[in-house]
Amino acid sequence: MDIAPFLDKPTAIVGTTGAGKTFAAKGAVERLLELGRRVIILDPTGAWYGLRAGADGGAEGGFPVLIFGGDHADIPIDPTGEAGKALALALAERDVQAIIDTSEMTGGEKNRFLTPFLEHLYARNKAALHLVVDEADEVAAQRLADGEQRLFGAFDKIVRRGRIKGFRPLMISQRPAVIHKNVLSQIGTLIAMKLTSPQDRKAIEEWVKGNADAGQARAVMSSLPTLKRGEGWVWSPADDLLERVEFPAIRTFDSSRTPGDGESVVAPALTAVDVDALRTALKAAPRIEDASNLSSGTTPAEIEAAEKRAFERGLAQGRNEGIDHGKSVGAAVALAAVRNALEALRIPDMVVDVASTAFPSSSNGRTSAFDAVNRGSNPREGTTSPDNQLKRPCTIVPKIEASIGLGAERKPLALLAAAYPAGYTEAQWASLAGFKRTGGTWSTYKSRLRTKAAIEQRGDLWFATQAGVDAIGGDVPTMPRTPDERLAMWKGKIAGVGPMLDALRNHYPHLISRTDLAFRLGLAPGGGTFGTYLSRVRSNDLIEEPERGFYRLSSAIMGDI
């Protein structure tokens, strides 16, 4: 049976684990992709990537669906509101077929990412779009926890009001009893598979009673506990359709199949896709301020106003930092001019009194950037004039911290100075400093340090400059130098990942598969706990993945420093 014609209205596919709803859902999506429809899949399970490969695991037979996030990402995504907005703006007005894999995000991260994603997708979308939401109760729970109201409001708006903007939502859940009734009541097509729980059958009973006569309702409800795997009811009252069907096997790779005892999971060869245009769009997408202060009823106008406020704050911050930087550079240039003028009069050490007041001498013995400005190319630097017998002899070596004015950004700079001449990726650096890499505070400190030329970026790594090292002076923390010391440091820094890091250390330098790594930890490779720990070590750049699904510890731990 071709169910694609009945998916142009809000649809729900419900069925207990093992009922075969994956076949029904993926089969329906395969048909939509085959027809060239616009499709976006929200995948909290990490199992939809199989659409990119044939049933035998080969690239032939897969669909060129873009994958954002997760283990098989074409384009990785950060679990932030800014990334959610950027992705929505990149996809909303494109003819796209995409999977957004949130399986490695925590509950809070999904909330922060998906809320602005759904809000901006709703605001910008204007063409037919099938929005497939697996485990729909995660975005539309019957009992909303604190902080979930705005996410639910965004999804509820798509279900109730999205038709005029082109939305065709398809919700999938094994527990209809925990889906919010406001959303469940809006469905136009129900695909009901085996349901054994009385609570789950009761959850759809009200919808059934409102859309069918008593005889039909009894026939459907009484059969739900005994339906065979892969069998279900397709019910679309507006189309006068009520049919019991057996859904065929999917034609793409069954990436959600549970492996048997002793069976290893083989990663499929994925169909190639072109991602360059979307990478460019994501880089060009505007940023948004922290969305935590916006209410669930936020309008596009309010969002635009918030963006304007964020822009104005950034402009003011940049102006202030520019003024501070200008003052420090101006002071250095002015002092150099004074010194040169005095030396031309053969009284060079008069400048000592000026410099010792405003720019205390360095105690670390290093040559600072300020010294370089002072000395220039003057050949008399360091000499004593015959007229200086009654003056205090001194070579000016001012501490650069006075000129660049270190404040709270001293802590992150000290970490890079301690690693000098080595560096860290931004994720490692921010984590060690105790900041969130995507947070506003971290962005501010990094900006200040760059403005003051205390840090620099080369490739993916950040380094302290010589000026930055001079600014810190002797106030540098002791950093671990051996692999075992660094391993202990990261185990103490990131909660819960010690066993995973130990397992990777014991396997180093060989690669270890996701399945084998999970087995060594006693966890399911597709489970949430394993996914959370893997996400933590990946987000801190502590593992490398030279082959898809195979990992080893990164040089941040095992390399020589």
Side-chain angles (χ1 to χ4, degrees):
M1 176 184 181
D2 184 5
I3 63 173
F6 310 108
L7 301 180
D8 286 342
K9 54 182 73 64
T11 302
I13 301 178
V14 298
T16 190
T17 301
K21 67 179 180 297
T22 298
F23 277 5
K26 288 189 176 179
V29 172
E30 285 176 350
R31 180 59 177 152
L32 295 174
L33 297 175
E34 190 177 62
L35 293 170
R37 304 281 184 85
R38 292 176 73 228
V39 178
I40 294 178
I41 302 162
L42 301 186
D43 176 19
T45 66
W48 281 81
Y49 72 91
L51 291 171
R52 278 274 293 279
D56 61 353
E60 292 296 324
F63 293 95
V65 182
L66 284 161
I67 302 176
F68 297 87
D71 257 1
H72 301 84
D74 298 306
I75 302 178
I77 50 177
D78 290 328
T80 66
E82 292 176 353
K85 177 191 174 181
L87 186 55
L89 296 179
L91 299 182
E93 298 176 357
R94 280 181 165 79
D95 186 8
V96 71
Q97 298 171 327
I99 297 168
I100 301 174
D101 186 337
T102 61
S103 61
E104 294 187 347
M105 298 183 190
T106 65
E109 289 171 340
K110 290 178 188 177
N111 192 359
R112 287 190 293 274
F113 175 84
L114 289 176
T115 299
F117 174 81
L118 293 176
E119 287 175 343
H120 289 278
L121 191 66
Y122 177 84
R124 293 294 184 91
N125 187 72
K126 295 180 176 63
L129 172 64
H130 293 271
L131 180 64
V132 181
V133 184
D134 203 349
E135 305 294 353
D137 47 278
E138 290 193 5
V139 297
Q142 175 60 30
R143 296 182 179 179
L144 298 172
D146 289 342
E148 294 179 345
Q149 291 83 355
R150 185 175 162 213
L151 173 60
F152 168 70
F155 184 62
D156 183 48
K157 185 184 291 186
I158 287 175
V159 175
R160 291 189 296 110
R161 305 177 187 172
R163 182 169 181 79
I164 194 172
K165 297 176 72 67
F167 285 95
R168 284 92 169 98
L170 170 58
M171 297 164 275
I172 305 162
S173 177
Q174 58 182 318
R175 290 298 318 278
V178 297
I179 296 181
H180 203 288
K181 301 302 182 290
N182 288 4
V183 168
L184 202 59
S185 65
Q186 297 297 315
I187 62 175
T189 299
L190 173 68
I191 300 175
M193 309 188 77
K194 184 176 182 179
L195 287 171
T196 56
S197 166
Q199 295 91 337
D200 291 326
R201 295 200 301 274
K202 184 175 179 59
I204 65 172
E205 188 174 5
E206 291 184 8
W207 183 90
V208 170
K209 287 180 178 178
N211 290 279
D213 61 38
Q216 289 177 319
R218 281 194 299 272
V220 172
M221 298 305 296
S222 63
S223 69
L224 291 179
T226 59
L227 291 175
K228 296 184 296 183
R229 177 178 172 82
E231 186 181 28
W233 291 93
V234 179
W235 202 339
S236 181
D239 298 300
D240 196 25
L241 172 71
L242 176 59
E243 186 174 340
R244 184 168 173 170
V245 301
E246 290 190 20
F247 294 95
I250 58 176
R251 290 169 287 171
T252 52
F253 184 71
D254 187 4
S255 49
S256 59
R257 183 175 66 87
T258 303
D261 292 339
E263 181 182 8
S264 61
V265 178
V266 179
L270 302 185
T271 301
V273 295
D274 183 4
V275 300
D276 290 341
L278 273 168
R279 278 204 181 101
T280 301
L282 285 171
K283 289 179 181 178
R287 299 170 69 84
I288 187 172
E289 68 175 0
D290 184 357
S292 60
N293 295 323
L294 301 180
S295 67
S296 60
T298 303
T299 66
E302 290 170 329
I303 293 172
E304 184 176 353
E307 291 173 342
K308 183 178 179 181
R309 292 194 299 273
F311 173 79
E312 290 173 348
R313 285 203 305 270
L315 185 64
Q317 176 185 317
R319 181 173 59 247
N320 292 336
E321 290 180 358
I323 291 172
D324 291 342
H325 181 61
K327 287 178 178 177
S328 66
V329 172
V333 172
L335 186 56
V338 170
R339 181 184 183 115
N340 290 337
L342 292 174
E343 291 215 24
L345 297 173
R346 302 180 61 81
I347 46 174
D349 291 318
M350 283 181 63
V351 77
V352 169
D353 294 333
V354 179
S356 61
T357 301
F359 303 96
S361 296
S362 171
S363 60
N364 60 14
R366 292 176 173 139
T367 301
S368 72
F370 189 84
D371 288 328
V373 175
N374 273 348
R375 283 197 300 269
S377 58
N378 194 323
R380 292 179 54 80
E381 177 62 42
T383 64
T384 303
S385 165
D387 300 325
N388 288 340
Q389 302 302 319
L390 300 180
K391 295 189 177 77
R392 174 167 52 94
C394 175
T395 300
I396 303 173
V397 187
K399 190 174 182 180
I400 194 169
E401 177 178 342
S403 71
I404 67 174
L406 285 179
E409 65 271 24
R410 161 179 281 278
K411 180 180 178 180
L413 177 57
L415 287 166
L416 286 184
Y420 185 85
Y424 290 112
T425 68
E426 186 174 356
Q428 295 161 0
W429 180 28
S431 183
L432 287 174
F435 294 96
K436 187 171 183 180
R437 180 168 59 93
T438 55
T441 301
W442 175 253
S443 179
T444 298
Y445 290 170
K446 185 177 67 175
S447 176
R448 290 177 183 173
L449 292 171
R450 293 190 75 171
T451 299
K452 297 166 183 176
I455 60 172
E456 62 181 347
Q457 183 179 18
R458 300 198 297 269
D460 293 332
L461 297 178
W462 289 84
F463 301 85
T465 62
Q466 182 63 59
V469 173
D470 290 341
I472 294 299
D475 186 16
V476 176
T478 302
M479 299 300 289
R481 295 287 169 176
T482 68
D484 286 341
E485 288 174 346
R486 289 194 292 274
L487 187 71
M489 175 186 71
W490 284 109
K491 286 163 64 175
K493 193 70 180 177
I494 308 173
V497 302
M500 179 174 286
L501 292 177
D502 286 336
L504 289 163
R505 173 71 169 95
N506 293 337
H507 212 70
Y508 189 85
H510 304 293
L511 296 176
I512 184 170
S513 71
R514 180 189 180 101
T515 302
D516 192 11
L517 180 58
F519 175 77
R520 290 168 185 259
L521 300 177
L523 300 172
T529 301
F530 178 78
T532 296
Y533 293 156
L534 185 63
S535 177
R536 289 175 183 173
V537 296
R538 293 178 79 176
S539 64
N540 284 281
D541 296 333
L542 300 183
I543 58 173
E544 299 169 352
E545 189 178 6
E547 299 178 30
R548 190 182 298 274
F550 290 83
Y551 312 105
R552 68 168 165 242
L553 279 179
S554 76
S555 58
I557 293 178
M558 302 307 299
D560 294 327
I561 293 183

